Amino acid sequence: MSYDLIVLGGGPAGYLACERAGHAGLKTLLIEKRFLGGVCLNEGCIPSKTLLYSAKIYDYARHSKKYGITTDHAMLDHKTVVTRKNKVVKTLVGGIRSKLKSYHVDMVDGFGEILGKSGEEFRVQVDNTTYSGKRVLIATGSLPITPPIPGTEDGLAAGHVLTNREILDLNEIPSSLVIIGGGVIGLEMASYFNSAGSSVTIIEMLDHIAGYTDSDIASILMKNYQKKGIQFQLSSKVTAINADGVVYEHKNQQFSIQADKILMSIGRRPVVEGFGLEKLGVELVRGGIKVDETTRTNIPNVYAAGDVNGYSMLAHTAYREAEVCINTILGKKDQVRYHTIPSVIYTNPEVVSLGETEETAREKGLDFDVATVSMRYSGRYVAENEGGDGICKVLVDKQYRHLIGVHMIGNYASEIIYGAAIMMEMEMRIEDIKEIVFPHPTVSEAIREAIFEV
Ligand code: NAI
């Protein structure tokens, strides 16, 4: 059988592309070697959010006195948390499978290998069957980076070094956890395991955590974490891993730290090898597949979406790229606008970043005004966050008077930021934003307040 589209990889990019393609009537095949739903659903976004929600309930229970509630015997039962996590994943994966079926997408569980092109058709093999398609979408995702630090491979094999995959399935809470890399995964996992009772230390190479997050917000987050007992070793480089823990270098001095478990979270790399991609002559850039803003590669009818292009390794970016890919195939004008994609760190408190930070805006020589307000301007924030020290910062282009950046730390920020993304996407002038009525009392009002401060 010949397909209109063969999709390699069933993560957010792959499965959503199939849903949209099937819905539009394209004869579509999805090939997935491991789990439908990919990393996001099975060992990333969804499992981690399920764990973090349990930690949040537990934290509220332990600190409930200040809200007038007494709970004497709050306990976090990690096994039950993991069982529930598995149930959540199963429910969502089942939902995707039935949606794909309803759109008549064919699904093959197996490893797809690209054989090449014959005539106008691409050929992809799974076990002993060869499938042909007019177009191919590469959505093979990414893998954790494992650095050449001595002891890493042995530690991974022995099980005391973990990636985002294994850490979500630990049977018990390690008494001590060293996290290498203070980025998104490191911070989210630190949040859960600290709440669950581990002694957590984050070792970060840079002099700050949370990567490109606004620097004021990153330092508020770090202070919040320190108050909870999480330790940080910044400007520090791990030089060796052994059965007892890690050795690291800080200001040319060597230190060691004991750890039951070590999480390796120093970033991810696109998966571009081992499945015959080279047979198509697809161009790579910085380790990922080079695509234009419509997800087209340099080879006609070969598309790439999601982490495999290495542009913005976020599930919601993958979703958008998938939709743009299908619209492009259908001949509809569409493109990904990367500058208005928000990113979220689902720590407690949550952190959101959208657009330029003060640092990146300055580097680009942009002329902008900035206003920062305390989240305590929001009545609801005060009512629900005893002792909360969140902020909301907005950056506004001086000439055009529209938003170029919005950054927040404080809960519900993850659910609010899309509103700011719409304002940015539509290039609304702040005078127009001032006329929008925000519901009161909501945490979102902090954005409105910040706009009035510019
Ligand atoms: P990351 O890029 O966010 O952070 C890695 C950190 O490790 C950086 O701060 C880096 O400076 C540090 N680092 C690198 N080498 C090091 C070394 N040898 N020693 C100490 N520190 C070192 O990568 P992470 O956290 O692994 O996440 C991977 C990907 O998954 C990211 O692209 C992220 O966007 C995505 N993700 C997104 C989530 C979300 O949207 N909430 C949640 C989890 C992952």
Side-chain angles (χ1 to χ4, degrees):
M1 177 185 304
S2 169
Y3 287 93
D4 293 318
L5 176 66
I6 296 179
V7 177
L8 220 50
Y15 76 72
L16 194 74
C18 288
E19 281 182 27
R20 298 287 187 260
H23 194 48
L26 296 176
K27 187 74 200 136
T28 306
L29 172 70
L30 174 60
I31 303 171
E32 167 55 51
K33 70 173 164 62
R34 196 171 151 86
F35 302 124
L36 186 60
V39 170
C40 171
L41 238 85
N42 296 281
E43 47 202 26
C45 322
I46 301 299
S48 59
K49 261 80 273 174
T50 314
L51 264 55
L52 284 166
Y53 187 63
S54 290
K56 196 189 266 183
I57 297 174
Y58 181 50
D59 287 345
Y60 282 140
R62 282 190 303 160
H63 305 294
S64 61
K65 266 208 180 85
K66 52 189 178 186
Y67 296 96
I69 314 280
T70 307
T71 49
D72 284 337
H73 300 293
M75 272 175 60
L76 184 146
D77 175 3
H78 179 66
K79 279 203 175 100
T80 309
V81 173
V82 171
T83 305
R84 177 170 176 273
K85 180 267 287 180
N86 293 339
K87 194 181 80 181
V88 169
V89 170
K90 203 172 159 203
T91 305
L92 293 172
V93 171
I96 292 169
R97 197 172 282 279
S98 57
K99 201 155 188 198
L100 289 170
K101 270 192 194 149
S102 75
Y103 290 138
H104 309 290
V105 173
D106 287 345
M107 285 173 267
V108 175
D109 297 323
F111 183 84
E113 189 180 352
I114 296 168
L115 300 178
K117 201 175 178 193
S118 79
E120 288 307 299
E121 301 264 306
F122 296 96
R123 290 181 309 123
V124 182
Q125 184 174 311
V126 182
D127 298 324
N128 294 320
T129 309
T130 302
Y131 300 90
S132 301
K134 294 184 187 70
R135 304 168 190 91
V136 179
L137 168 61
I138 314 291
T140 46
S142 62
L143 276 172
I145 293 172
T146 45
I149 298 172
T152 304
E153 293 298 336
D154 290 347
L156 283 165
H160 62 270
V161 177
L162 315 164
T163 69
N164 62 291
R165 178 174 291 171
E166 300 82 28
I167 196 158
L168 294 164
D169 280 321
L170 285 180
N171 285 328
E172 49 195 44
I173 297 298
S175 62
S176 55
L177 174 67
V178 163
I179 297 179
I180 307 178
V184 197
I185 293 180
L187 291 168
E188 290 187 356
M189 287 298 100
S191 193
Y192 175 75
F193 283 95
N194 162 261
S195 296
S198 287
S199 154
V200 178
T201 305
I202 295 180
I203 302 181
E204 167 59 53
M205 205 165 63
L206 304 176
D207 62 1
H208 62 272
I209 57 163
Y212 293 110
T213 303
D214 170 89
S215 57
D216 292 332
I217 287 181
S219 55
I220 293 173
L221 181 65
M222 188 160 140
K223 279 188 202 124
N224 270 267
Y225 266 33
Q226 283 168 325
K227 262 189 233 157
K228 293 178 190 197
I230 296 172
Q231 316 252 359
F232 291 89
Q233 300 298 334
L234 302 184
S235 309
S236 299
K237 212 172 143 202
V238 174
T239 50
I241 292 176
N242 54 48
D244 296 328
V246 304
V247 179
Y248 67 92
E249 217 176 79
H250 175 72
K251 293 186 177 164
N252 296 325
Q253 269 191 289
Q254 283 224 331
F255 299 88
S256 62
I257 179 163
Q258 187 276 333
D260 285 347
K261 297 284 182 199
I262 297 155
L263 172 66
M264 189 62 77
S265 52
I266 61 161
R268 298 179 65 87
R269 63 178 170 83
V271 175
V272 292
E273 283 164 358
F275 60 94
L277 185 65
E278 61 288 349
K279 292 183 192 131
L280 298 179
V282 167
E283 199 181 330
L284 303 181
V285 60
R286 288 182 299 277
I289 296 181
K290 189 177 174 194
V291 287
D292 64 13
E293 66 286 353
T294 67
T295 75
R296 274 190 278 234
T297 69
N298 61 315
I299 304 296
N301 296 319
V302 178
Y303 301 82
D307 284 9
V308 74
N309 66 34
Y311 286 2
S312 154
M313 291 191 174
L314 299 167
H316 46 278
T317 302
Y319 281 155
R320 183 69 192 122
E321 289 172 341
E323 289 172 343
V324 167
C325 170
I326 301 309
N327 283 339
T328 304
I329 290 172
L330 295 171
K332 293 183 193 165
K333 201 170 178 313
D334 199 0
Q335 69 175 75
V336 187
R337 288 176 290 279
Y338 289 96
H339 70 288
T340 53
I341 296 176
S343 62
V344 178
I345 313 178
Y346 294 85
T347 40
N348 189 10
E350 296 170 354
V351 169
V352 296
S353 308
L354 171 68
E356 306 294 344
T357 60
E358 286 182 84
E359 294 85 359
T360 60
R362 251 181 249 120
E363 273 164 27
K364 291 180 187 170
L366 302 177
D367 202 8
F368 63 97
D369 288 320
V370 60
T372 304
V373 297
S374 164
M375 294 284 260
R376 297 178 68 79
Y377 269 106
S378 151
R380 185 160 186 207
Y381 181 83
V382 177
E384 296 188 8
N385 295 274
E386 198 58 45
D389 56 357
I391 60 168
C392 172
K393 185 184 276 194
V394 297
L395 278 69
V396 172
D397 183 278
K398 248 195 176 127
Q399 189 186 353
Y400 298 107
R401 305 302 288 161
H402 59 220
L403 285 171
I404 57 166
V406 178
H407 307 274
M408 297 169 91
I409 177 165
N411 284 345
Y412 301 142
S414 63
E415 297 288 350
I416 293 168
I417 195 64
Y418 86 96
I422 294 170
M423 296 167 195
M424 250 174 83
E425 179 89 40
M426 305 309 288
E427 297 184 344
M428 289 178 76
R429 292 166 61 84
I430 59 162
E431 279 62 36
D432 298 324
I433 300 172
K434 284 178 181 173
E435 293 177 12
I436 299 173
V437 179
F438 286 52
H440 175 77
T442 59
V443 180
S444 66
E445 288 173 288
I447 294 181
R448 196 165 193 277
E449 197 59 42
I451 297 277
F452 273 88
E453 290 289 320
V454 180

